[in-house]
Amino acid sequence: MISLGFLDSLFKKKVEGKTAEEWYALGVRETDPEKKIEYFDKVLKLKPDFAGVWNLKGLEFVVLKRYEEAIASFNKALEIRPSYPEARYNKEDAETELRKIRASKAKAEEKEETTVERTEV
């Protein structure tokens, strides 16, 4: 008779003593965005092709206003599952926010340059 213990370990890989499912559950219940990202990273160590977790991780980066990292996470989700409407929408939303921030910074820099020019005249 073949021992199935090796199959259990094969299908129930663990990181720091927890399975991907356990880390996922912790991540979903967690309220701190940084901790959620940490838990989702542990899920992704075990299941790197889990598009849904890449999307959730991206959403936490949005909460933290870390839009470039969010976009990278949404891109990974879309790479795994190209027809993933939530990830596509979330990516577009993050890109819009990033454009707004960049436009605002450019406007502020332009205003600052104009002020400096006026004081030099």
Side-chain angles (χ1 to χ4, degrees), residues 59-78:
L59 288 171
E60 295 311 315
F61 282 127
V62 168
V63 169
L64 296 169
K65 298 186 182 337
R66 291 164 50 185
Y67 299 110
E68 290 173 353
E69 291 166 283
I71 292 164
S73 290
F74 298 134
N75 279 338
K76 189 67 179 168
L78 289 165

Side-chain angles (χ1 to χ4, degrees), residues 5 15-16 41 55 72 76 79 85 87 89 99 105 110 115 117-118:
V15 167
E16 296 176 33
D41 280 341
N55 184 58
K76 189 67 179 168
E79 181 183 310
Y89 170 81
R99 274 194 301 277
K105 282 181 182 176
E110 185 179 298
T115 305
E117 287 172 9
R118 286 186 192 155

Side-chain angles (χ1 to χ4, degrees), residues 96-109:
T96 299
E97 291 303 313
L98 189 56
R99 274 194 301 277
K100 287 180 190 175
I101 289 168
R102 288 179 176 161
S104 177
K105 282 181 182 176
K107 198 171 190 178
E109 287 171 6

Side-chain angles (χ1 to χ4, degrees), residues 3 9 37 45 53 59 80 85 105 120:
S3 167
S9 64
I37 290 168
K45 263 188 183 172
V53 172
L59 288 171
I80 295 163
K105 282 181 182 176
E120 289 176 354

